[in-house]
Amino acid sequence: MNRTEPLVLGIETSCDETGIGIVRGRTLLSNTIASSMDEHARYGGVVPEVAARAHLEALQPSIEAALAEANVSLSDLDAVAVTSGPGLAGALMVGVGAAKALAVSLGKPLYAVNHLVGHIAADVLTDDGAAIEYPTVALLVSGGHTSLLLVRDLTTDVEMLGETMDDAAGEAFDKVARLLGLPYPGGPQIDRAAAEGDPNAIPFPRGLSRASDMATHRYDFSFSGLKTAVARWVEQRRDAGEDVPVGDVAASFREAVVDVLVTKALNACRDYDVPRLLLGGGVIANKRLRDVALERAAAAGVAVRIPPLSLCTDNGAMIAALASELIMSGRPASTLEFGADSTLPVTEIQVARA
Amino acid sequence: MFLAIDTSLGTAVAVVEDDGVIAAQATSSDPRGHAEVIGTLIQRALAEASVDASAIDAVAAGMGPGPFTGLRVGIAAARTFALGRGIPVIPVASHDAVALELLLFDALAGGFQDAPDEPFAVVTDARRREFAYTVYRGLDADGLPVRVAEPALTPRDDLDGILETGSILRRDAEAIPAGMLGLVAARAVAAGRSVASSDALYLRSPDVTMPHGPKKVTPAAAAGAGAADGGTR
Ligand SMILES: [Zn+2]
């Protein structure tokens, strides 16, 4: 196996994106994504069975499209990589089954890796070619997860500082959008509505930010109380026969989410004396989150890295990139003895190491 | 040579020669855990048949019916194995494998008598208090089981009534014999026929609950007088 610039195909099926990525070393050759998001829209959120069925149908055409785009053939590959977890179990299993059979068929090594660490690995594929500097704090925000990580080394040492205790931030956007009568997915809708609103109009609560919470949940997040507060505020207006100022509600809600995300991430940077913050996950598409993070990080002397959005949302390239890093650092492949692990801890960067 | 994969009940993999000889079978009866074992079972079947992946010319895929989560693992694996080798996938209705096994066994056990073929139903657990069943009668000229009725679901309590009405024998199956799945594929290919759709046989729509309006979070007493006129909902 080429361990200097391995050619790796990555398979990612942890949620509603079927992601096939191909990388050579740290160079991105293809980032092919088939999303079933439209199929979930009418249900107001990701339906696991719908997502899993869509993965099965999208896998083969996505692999073929990725190979064509990268202009390589399967026999050229040095390794196959797959997300073992965390994520939706039924969705993950499609990718795991596919990756194992592909690896056996090709006689190539298989690397089973952690989805969250994959989000961090996406950064090695950014065009500037600069390697990730360690340690770095990473804030991963999506519809499926909200995690604050301390990364001392991408391939050996990733620590979970905190995560959401209830809803993921992206889920909170979807739910609040729904109660404002806006369609799924909620993120872009809230953003559009918020453009005309005042972010300081309504003082929505910042979850797990009181002094008493900060002792035990300094880096954890909670968005379900915020969602309820927004619902209550909107209901009271409606019940009183008043108009709901959708722009102000959206802007104030978004501000509460962004504030707590950025505050806790920068707390971690300060507490661990780490002047670097990496952002990842689909919610990073939210411009307000990026702007506030950049502005407050600059004031705190923290350098922010944000991979291109196509590498922030769930994708197979990040899975291939993580495997590529593992290969370049000399790590052996995974055995075939692993499954989908919907709650895989972030400390398990690679599973079933031989 | 065929690689046959079925995960509609347990996980079953076989290597079957073009003339139908079963070279190897590797199975796990675990009704879950398909994703865990699929890779090692494929490897083991190939090893027991003393061939490597390059000896395989086609992959027979059990398309169900079966519980969704497991079923997909085998279909996904069959497709990517075939993709890796640049060979075709031959979709096979999983019950066909059971039917073929029963018919071949009956033919052996029954000697050379030319008894008329009785209709029978292959019955498997579909969970949620339902059975999946397919009705067959005999083998056709290509040696393939004749499906009298396509795979369907029925509440467990209704099955016997349905079968009695049609004088159909009930044959329950706990596992899908992958070797027979490969043999169905081999016979289908030899006859130049397609015997199943390339879509998974889910037989059920995904479970989804349509969202209602947001639930009220304000306690009724605290909602104030404005609630009396019905608000906006
Ligand atoms: Zn993700």
Side-chain angles (χ1 to χ4, degrees):
Chain A
M1 179 170 40
N2 176 348
R3 284 197 185 264
T4 7
E5 271 209 315
L7 182 67
V8 185
L9 180 140
I11 299 177
E12 151 64 35
T13 63
S14 69
C15 192
D16 62 338
E17 326 270 10
T18 310
I20 304 296
I22 300 177
V23 307
R24 192 188 298 278
R26 291 179 174 153
T27 308
L28 177 64
L29 301 184
S30 176
N31 182 12
T32 300
I33 297 173
S35 176
S36 59
M37 192 206 288
D38 293 348
E39 294 175 56
H40 304 287
R42 64 202 192 99
Y43 308 115
V46 174
V47 181
E49 177 60 23
V50 172
R53 289 187 182 193
H55 286 310
L56 179 63
E57 296 323 311
L59 258 175
Q60 185 172 340
S62 299
I63 294 173
E64 285 166 343
L67 292 166
E69 187 187 13
N71 197 23
V72 298
S73 68
L74 286 170
S75 57
D76 300 331
L77 296 177
D78 288 299
V80 175
V82 67
T83 304
S84 170
L88 302 170
L92 288 165
M93 281 180 215
V94 179
V96 169
K100 286 181 176 179
L102 184 61
V104 172
S105 160
L106 297 170
K108 307 282 184 184
L110 176 62
Y111 284 76
V113 304
N114 187 300
H115 174 84
L116 292 177
V117 183
H119 272 298
I120 302 164
D123 189 53
V124 307
L125 299 174
T126 49
D127 284 338
D128 64 6
I132 302 183
E133 281 185 75
Y134 299 118
T136 183
V137 169
L139 173 66
L140 307 179
V141 197
S142 77
H145 35 78
T146 307
S147 308
L148 195 53
L149 312 174
L150 178 59
V151 187
R152 294 189 189 87
D153 184 300
L154 181 60
T155 59
T156 59
D157 190 352
V158 181
E159 182 185 342
M160 176 75 76
L161 298 177
E163 59 190 325
T164 183
M165 313 298 290
D166 38 58
D167 294 343
E171 249 179 306
F173 273 91
D174 294 336
K175 289 176 176 174
V176 166
R178 202 158 95 203
L179 69 92
L180 291 174
L182 302 171
Y184 174 88
Q189 300 290 334
I190 294 278
D191 255 7
R192 198 166 306 142
E196 283 129 47
D198 173 4
N200 302 310
I202 310 157
F204 286 130
R206 271 58 172 164
L208 297 181
S209 296
R210 284 192 296 256
S212 55
D213 295 323
M214 290 300 266
T216 45
H217 293 292
R218 185 166 180 79
Y219 307 116
D220 289 326
F221 303 95
S222 166
F223 297 105
S224 102
L226 169 61
K227 177 198 67 194
T228 307
V230 175
R232 182 173 294 126
W233 195 92
V234 168
E235 255 171 40
Q236 284 167 353
R237 282 300 171 102
R238 285 180 183 156
D239 288 347
E242 295 171 35
D243 282 342
V244 174
V246 172
D248 284 351
V249 173
S252 300
F253 158 75
R254 185 182 64 180
E255 204 64 9
V257 174
V258 166
D259 182 29
V260 78
L261 289 172
V262 174
T263 300
K264 291 198 173 217
L266 290 176
N267 281 349
C269 290
R270 193 183 57 222
D271 299 347
Y272 288 89
D273 197 20
V274 172
R276 285 171 291 273
L277 174 62
L278 174 65
L279 302 182
V283 175
I284 301 305
N286 191 293
K287 185 167 183 306
R288 182 68 188 158
L289 174 57
R290 292 201 307 271
D291 289 348
V292 171
L294 287 167
E295 184 189 311
R296 284 165 56 180
V302 170
V304 179
R305 288 180 69 93
I306 310 177
L309 187 62
S310 59
L311 290 168
C312 278
T313 51
D314 290 347
N315 67 83
M318 69 190 199
I319 300 307
L322 176 52
S324 175
E325 294 294 310
L326 291 166
I327 293 166
M328 289 189 285
S329 70
R331 295 270 283 271
S334 300
T335 68
L336 294 172
E337 318 256 331
F338 67 92
D341 186 344
S342 57
T343 60
L344 185 68
V346 75
T347 45
E348 299 214 21
I349 296 165
Q350 179 190 353
V351 304
R353 257 204 285 169
Chain B
M1 198 170 293
F2 291 81
L3 178 71
I5 301 176
D6 189 284
T7 56
S8 64
L9 290 175
T11 304
V13 180
V15 175
V16 178
E17 289 172 21
D18 293 351
D19 60 6
V21 172
I22 297 167
Q25 289 202 87
T27 60
S28 156
S29 57
D30 185 354
R32 299 177 196 275
H34 305 90
E36 279 86 341
V37 299
I38 187 73
T40 27
L41 291 184
I42 295 174
Q43 258 186 344
R44 203 198 299 162
L46 292 170
E48 280 175 19
S50 303
V51 295
D52 62 25
S54 62
I56 303 297
D57 309 301
V59 184
M63 303 308 290
F68 317 150
T69 310
L71 176 62
R72 273 189 291 268
V73 172
I75 299 172
R79 288 178 180 168
T80 54
F81 189 99
L83 187 63
R85 292 270 313 111
I87 55 178
V89 173
I90 315 295
V92 176
S94 300
H95 287 179
D96 279 14
V98 179
L100 182 57
E101 182 171 62
L102 292 168
L103 288 161
L104 292 179
F105 181 81
D106 286 354
L108 286 172
F112 296 96
Q113 299 164 21
D114 242 346
D117 291 313
E118 301 288 341
F120 65 94
V122 172
V123 178
T124 54
D125 183 8
R127 302 214 180 128
R128 300 190 208 172
R129 279 177 273 156
E130 288 188 314
F131 285 121
Y133 71 108
T134 311
V135 182
Y136 294 88
R137 174 184 272 162
L139 295 169
D140 63 20
D142 296 321
L144 291 162
V146 178
R147 250 178 262 144
V148 178
E150 292 301 304
L153 294 179
T154 180
R156 285 185 194 174
D157 294 343
D158 298 355
L159 180 69
D160 288 329
I162 295 171
L163 298 184
E164 250 164 58
T165 313
S167 302
I168 300 162
L169 279 170
R170 172 173 170 167
R171 309 294 296 264
D172 288 83
E174 300 291 323
I176 304 298
M180 290 293 134
L181 195 86
L183 181 54
V184 172
R187 289 183 171 183
V189 168
R193 285 169 54 188
S194 155
V195 289
S197 153
S198 54
D199 294 326
L201 270 170
Y202 290 118
L203 302 185
R204 254 188 214 130
S205 297
D207 272 335
V208 284
T209 41
M210 288 303 281
H212 306 286
K215 262 184 281 172
K216 251 192 150 5
V217 294
T218 317
D229 50 32
T232 52
R233 254 175 319 241

